[in-house]
Amino acid sequence: HTATPEIHQTMSPNPVDSNNPNVCPLSYSELLSQIESMVTYEKDPIASMANISSVMYHAFSDSDAYYTQSDSKKHQKAVNWFGFYLINEERNELVLGPFHGRLACTRIKFGKGVCGSAWKEKKSQLVHDVHQLKNHIACDSASQSEVVVPIMYEGSNSSECLGVIDVDSVNIGSFGEEDKVFLEKVAHLVAKELDWKAIESVRRLVEKVDSCGKQDSEIRS
């Protein structure tokens, strides 16, 4: 029996104060290490996505103020939603997966909103102010900024988007490049380590990528 991975507290519940040696702002490297332990231990996508959503949501929200080292101005991230959407290829839509936060949109069509755009473009979406985006879907009217990264399952010569990670904040301009890069690393771990064939709606996408890799290997041999 494999031991449950140890989860460390990485944030103080108190406001960040650079003059207070007892306050430690969140380290993305520490969080990434925690998530890597989780997905290595638990391969079931739903179970691991549920735990990642919990860890990430509370990591952002358990502190009165959160900022990364590159932030020039200390401001609240104030994340009000963190979660996953998974692709249902037959219906050409994203379906709500594990999350933490308020009631969410359950289905998002291909190319619609920030999540649908991340899927269509297979590219991360960093939105400073969602109200300036005509294509935005307002699942929670409190959300002001958003970052979405695609979960790309990579093969030797092809890749498929299996879903997206979506993060919302009640503040404008909460997310920057460092946040996006971190979430892309999380998405890479999730895509690489979890047993996606256990999810019926994305199994064919995974098998298609694996099949292309196998064919390419056979041709080379």
Side-chain angles (χ1 to χ4, degrees), residues 28-221:
Y28 269 166
S29 61
E30 291 175 323
L31 252 185
L32 196 65
S33 180
Q34 288 186 21
I35 292 170
E36 185 172 13
S37 295
M38 285 190 286
V39 297
T40 300
Y41 166 77
E42 178 55 70
K43 298 298 184 182
D44 183 274
I46 299 300
S48 276
M49 287 188 293
N51 270 337
I52 291 169
S53 296
S54 176
V55 167
M56 287 301 304
Y57 180 84
H58 290 292
F60 281 122
S61 63
D62 282 352
S63 177
D64 290 332
Y66 167 83
Y67 63 97
T68 53
Q69 292 179 353
S70 65
D71 284 339
S72 59
K73 180 181 179 181
K74 298 175 185 177
H75 60 279
Q76 288 185 324
K77 288 291 183 188
V79 166
N80 59 319
W81 203 92
F82 184 101
F84 296 82
Y85 281 91
L86 298 180
I87 288 173
N88 183 317
E89 191 181 26
E90 290 185 2
R91 300 187 59 154
N92 200 37
E93 63 187 12
L94 290 163
V95 181
L96 182 65
F99 74 94
H100 261 57
R102 293 184 178 181
L103 193 68
C105 300
T106 56
R107 297 176 186 272
I108 299 173
K109 288 295 184 181
F110 179 74
K112 299 297 183 181
V114 185
C115 290
S117 295
W119 172 19
K120 180 181 179 179
E121 298 174 19
K122 296 184 178 180
K123 181 181 178 181
S124 299
Q125 308 288 311
L126 192 58
V127 183
H128 178 79
D129 181 355
V130 297
H131 300 293
Q132 302 302 314
L133 193 69
K134 293 181 179 180
N135 197 28
H136 178 247
I137 299 173
C139 297
D140 182 354
S141 59
S143 296
Q144 303 291 317
S145 57
E146 185 173 7
V147 56
V148 179
V149 302
I151 300 170
M152 300 300 300
Y153 184 79
E154 305 281 348
S156 60
N157 62 353
S158 65
S159 64
E160 290 287 346
C161 182
L162 304 182
V164 300
I165 297 174
D166 181 21
V167 193
D168 294 357
S169 169
V170 298
N171 286 344
I172 291 175
S174 282
F175 307 110
E177 185 66 21
E178 187 172 1
D179 306 302
K180 179 177 76 70
V181 169
F182 165 71
L183 290 169
E184 287 172 344
K185 291 178 179 178
V186 173
H188 176 74
L189 278 174
V190 166
K192 178 183 176 183
E193 296 293 340
L194 300 183
D195 178 18
W196 290 102
K197 290 182 180 179
I199 306 293
E200 183 66 33
S201 63
V202 299
R203 181 184 300 164
R204 199 188 72 82
L205 295 171
V206 172
E207 291 175 342
K208 183 165 65 174
V209 172
D210 290 346
S211 177
C212 288
K214 184 179 178 180
Q215 291 173 7
D216 182 60
S217 178
E218 290 174 349
I219 291 172
R220 291 183 180 181
S221 61

